[in-house]
Amino acid sequence: MISCWLGRTVRPHTDGIGGIYTAGSQTLRRKSISPDFVEPLIDIEPIENWSVMTDKSGLRRVLLNLIGNSMKFTRGGYVKVSLHRGPSIDPERMAVELVVEDTGCGMSEAFVRDKLFHPFSQEAPLAQGIGLGLAIVRSILKSPGIDGTIDVHTKVNIGTRMTIRLQPPTANDLRSWTRSPSQSLTRLPSFAMCGFHAEHRGSGMLASGIRRGLRHWYGTIVEVDVKEAGLLIVDGDSIDISKLDALGANRPMILLLCSSPVDSVVFKATQDYSGNNRLCTVVVKPIGPHALSKALSALVGGRNSTPSSPLQHSLPVLPPTSQPLPPTAQERPMRPQSNANMSRLRVLVIEDNLVNRKVLTAFLKKRNCYFDEAGDGIEGVQRFQESKGAPYHVCLMDLQMPRKDGFEAAREIRQLEAERDIPLFDGTAIQKTKIFALTGLASAEDRKKADEIGFDGYLVKPITFKALWERLQQVVDDLP
């Protein structure tokens, strides 16, 4: 079983300190680790109810921009997202503090003072993007649906801390938000933590956060030596996963924390360990309270049950956007999500944001679509030119990209189509590629410009998989 949170994990320093010893003198040794890896962290204050009324789509866009910036400019260390309750004097409102913190390159005082929130401003002129991210953040935070503020603390070569403060009205939803393991698990077995680098800030903070969560749920916890533990919490990014079975002498349960994607080595090691009535659960980083509590419930609660496959991975489904569908679309039942015909589809993804691009291509891969990807408009047009023998059915085009934006790239693609005969995919007629615009800015001016250039559709970020699936299904249905 996998509890999946979006994100990635990476690790920083090579460590030659000893190994992890188990009964019988077998050793599970740490592997060499790249110094550029970054540990993603989640820290959520455990209160009873976080339900508030706010613009969730706008707030999601703010977090995507801030986290994306942190991941882009951090090489080694951590990126941490925190949610805490601040002081409030209005009983009908909740003071919320959202913090995105990293150990990246930081920014100079002059840039923060004079240009930080200005459109098209970047302190590193050769960096990816066009400098709109923080301008969009400030614009969204000023909107009536959020009405928040942002404070920036940063130091060159030390890191950056962005603090968002909101005071949204509390919701009437009285359901408990608290994430905790099954109530039947009143006591945690004695446990040990393996593979965490205490000398690395990110890894050390991850281990401390797990211990803090366990104390909150169980009160007293007993941490023992690896050879005596009934439960092992293992950082799979710091050990040789193929040797996981070496920990099985005393048949401990194993909670394995791994980066995404889960590869064949992890799958084989966990399957091998799960044999002979031993249990191993894999959780994909970053680890939030929901993923940790769900994994513990499945692992500790399933101690006396027949083990099933430890890997049951699916792509995370994003919530729908706040924009209502037309009445006819609301009444129409959703198409069954069959992948049978999707293998015929050829898709070109042009998106400069690496995280967004990987999410889109992972979705397409799971649906058995053929796809190519490009990081900006210039590369995207080049890919299109190279596809003369097998044109793309669909192009997913980000509008704001460095070097050449989506508008100009789409205009050139339409010009290329006009200059050459594009055979239909059965070779008998002419058919244009369906170009769908992807953007976080849904202004009327952008929509008009996209229509004039010849875009076939418009998807506002964050894009839901449901909306994307329906667009692709329409294209497949029209194929001969």
Side-chain angles (χ1 to χ4, degrees):
M1 180 212 73
I2 288 183
S3 298
C4 183
W5 286 62
L6 281 176
R8 65 177 180 178
T9 196
V10 280
R11 310 222 26 115
H13 302 298
T14 300
D15 187 4
I17 300 176
I20 301 173
Y21 292 89
T22 62
S25 299
Q26 290 178 303
T27 305
L28 187 66
R29 297 195 178 278
R30 296 182 179 182
K31 61 184 179 183
S32 178
I33 301 169
S34 168
D36 291 337
F37 282 128
V38 178
E39 188 79 71
L41 303 170
I42 294 176
D43 180 20
I44 301 177
E45 182 180 348
I47 68 173
E48 185 67 21
N49 196 332
W50 275 109
S51 298
V52 296
M53 293 181 287
T54 189
D55 178 4
K56 65 177 183 181
S57 295
L59 198 56
R60 187 188 299 119
R61 178 75 261 171
V62 167
L63 286 174
L64 284 174
N65 285 5
L66 295 182
I67 295 171
N69 279 349
S70 290
M71 297 302 295
K72 181 165 64 174
F73 294 109
T74 301
R75 294 292 180 269
Y78 66 85
V79 172
K80 180 180 178 183
V81 181
S82 304
L83 174 64
H84 296 283
R85 185 172 47 183
S88 178
I89 58 176
D90 187 344
E92 296 184 354
R93 292 181 175 270
M94 180 185 296
V96 177
E97 292 187 358
L98 273 166
V99 181
V100 179
E101 179 182 351
D102 63 63
T103 55
C105 60
M107 296 173 285
S108 66
E109 293 183 9
F111 180 79
V112 172
R113 182 181 62 249
D114 300 330
K115 296 183 178 181
L116 181 60
F117 294 107
H118 292 195
F120 306 105
S121 295
Q122 288 184 294
E123 188 167 26
L126 298 181
Q128 276 191 329
I130 56 176
L132 277 176
L134 290 180
I136 293 173
V137 165
R138 186 173 68 168
S139 176
I140 293 174
L141 290 177
K142 287 183 175 180
S143 66
I146 295 183
D147 192 22
T149 62
I150 181 169
D151 292 333
V152 180
H153 298 274
T154 183
K155 190 171 183 180
V156 175
N157 297 327
I158 298 296
T160 301
R161 179 184 176 93
M162 301 268 191
T163 304
I164 301 167
R165 292 186 174 88
L166 317 170
Q167 295 235 2
T170 55
N172 293 326
D173 187 353
L174 299 180
R175 291 175 296 177
S176 173
W177 187 92
T178 303
R179 304 299 194 241
S180 58
S182 172
Q183 294 182 356
S184 62
L185 305 179
T186 57
R187 188 175 67 87
L188 185 72
S190 58
F191 73 99
M193 303 187 73
C194 307
F196 294 86
H197 293 258
E199 71 281 1
H200 175 244
R201 295 174 65 188
S203 183
M205 291 172 69
L206 174 61
S208 297
I210 292 173
R211 291 188 181 98
R212 187 166 57 250
L214 295 178
R215 289 192 186 95
H216 174 74
W217 291 328
Y218 297 104
T220 301
I221 58 176
V222 180
E223 188 168 358
V224 297
D225 185 79
V226 172
K227 294 178 290 187
E228 302 171 355
L231 168 66
L232 295 182
I233 302 176
V234 180
D235 188 346
D237 296 313
S238 301
I239 63 172
D240 185 355
I241 294 291
S242 64
K243 307 295 184 183
L244 187 67
D245 199 56
L247 292 174
N250 292 331
R251 302 162 61 88
M253 297 172 286
I254 293 182
L255 179 60
L256 183 63
L257 315 182
C258 285
S259 302
S260 178
V262 179
D263 58 26
S264 58
V265 175
V266 175
F267 184 83
K268 184 179 185 304
T270 53
Q271 289 283 44
D272 291 345
Y273 186 86
S274 295
N276 301 321
N277 201 31
R278 297 181 298 187
L279 294 178
C280 178
T281 292
V282 180
V283 183
V284 178
K285 296 179 179 180
I287 311 300
H290 180 64
L292 182 59
S293 64
K294 188 176 179 181
L296 286 173
S297 296
L299 188 63
V300 182
R303 181 63 172 175
N304 298 320
S305 62
T306 302
S308 59
S309 170
L311 301 178
Q312 299 173 5
H313 179 55
S314 61
L315 283 171
V317 179
L318 300 179
T321 62
S322 59
Q323 296 179 342
L325 293 171
T328 55
Q330 288 178 331
E331 296 167 1
R332 183 174 64 246
M334 185 179 175
R335 303 172 187 265
Q337 295 198 359
S338 170
N339 298 339
N341 296 323
M342 284 294 168
S343 59
R344 304 173 58 197
L345 204 61
R346 294 176 57 85
V347 182
L348 175 60
V349 180
I350 307 177
E351 163 69 76
D352 70 313
N353 186 292
L354 179 61
V355 174
N356 291 345
R357 192 166 73 246
K358 291 304 180 184
V359 169
L360 290 171
T361 55
F363 176 85
L364 296 171
K365 183 177 181 180
K366 186 174 182 181
R367 298 295 185 262
N368 297 327
C369 299
Y370 175 86
F371 64 88
D372 287 318
E373 54 184 295
D376 58 49
I378 293 178
E379 185 182 349
V381 173
Q382 182 179 354
R383 289 274 189 175
F384 187 85
Q385 287 177 311
E386 295 169 352
S387 68
K388 293 180 181 179
Y392 297 103
H393 300 86
V394 175
C395 176
L396 302 177
M397 177 81 74
D398 185 20
L399 292 186
Q400 288 135 359
M401 295 182 290
R403 301 207 296 169
K404 181 175 292 182
D405 64 22
F407 294 114
E408 186 60 30
R411 185 179 287 110
E412 292 189 17
I413 286 174
R414 291 303 187 211
Q415 183 63 32
L416 288 171
E417 290 177 332
E419 292 174 355
R420 72 186 191 198
D421 289 339
I422 303 259
L424 191 64
F425 299 97
D426 63 358
T428 61
I430 293 177
Q431 177 170 307
K432 292 184 177 180
T433 299
K434 300 289 186 182
I435 304 179
F436 297 113
L438 316 176
T439 183
L441 297 173
S443 68
E445 182 180 353
D446 282 345
R447 290 179 182 270
K448 181 180 179 181
K449 188 175 180 181
D451 291 339
E452 291 173 350
I453 291 173
F455 280 84
D456 296 280
Y458 203 95
L459 295 171
V460 179
K461 297 178 183 179
I463 301 161
T464 66
F465 288 160
K466 178 181 177 182
L468 178 57
W469 172 263
E470 289 183 345
R471 294 296 179 96
L472 297 179
Q473 187 67 61
Q474 289 172 3
V475 176
V476 171
D477 290 346
D478 292 338
L479 293 180

